[in-house]
Amino acid sequence: MDHDASIRFETTPKGGRYFVPMPNGEDSRLTFVKVSDGHIIADHTFVPVPYRGDGIAEALVERLIADARANGWKITPTCWYVADEIARHAPDWDDVVKR
């Protein structure tokens, strides 16, 4: 499955989410809260149990990073998974991290 092509994006008044509808009816998702123009907090990542280990969460974080670069956002990761991925990709992703 090409996870990048399956990722959808939507905004809410307080932030937004990246998500992939899964065959079992649940969504894999990465949510964020907008702190200010140009600053978001990545606060939650979830992949349903049957689909864990398939690279979906990693694809969601990669899309978040790409969009942050394209839109000039800085990210504060409070989700442990996003924080771990950012640390794993340091220093390549440091340009979008607000510390």
Side-chain angles (χ1 to χ4, degrees), residues 18 27-32 42-48 52 56-61 64 78-83 85:
Y18 294 88
D27 289 340
S28 292
R29 60 190 175 273
L30 186 162
T31 61
F32 65 90
D43 63 348
H44 182 69
T45 306
F46 173 78
V47 175
R52 293 182 185 170
I56 299 167
E58 185 177 7
L60 291 168
V61 176
L64 171 69
T78 60
C79 167
W80 69 266
Y81 184 82
V82 176
E85 284 296 294

Side-chain angles (χ1 to χ4, degrees), residues 66-90:
D67 284 359
R69 286 185 172 139
N71 293 297
W73 301 339
K74 294 290 185 182
I75 302 165
T76 300
T78 60
C79 167
W80 69 266
Y81 184 82
V82 176
D84 283 356
E85 284 296 294
I86 288 172
R88 190 168 71 86
H89 288 277

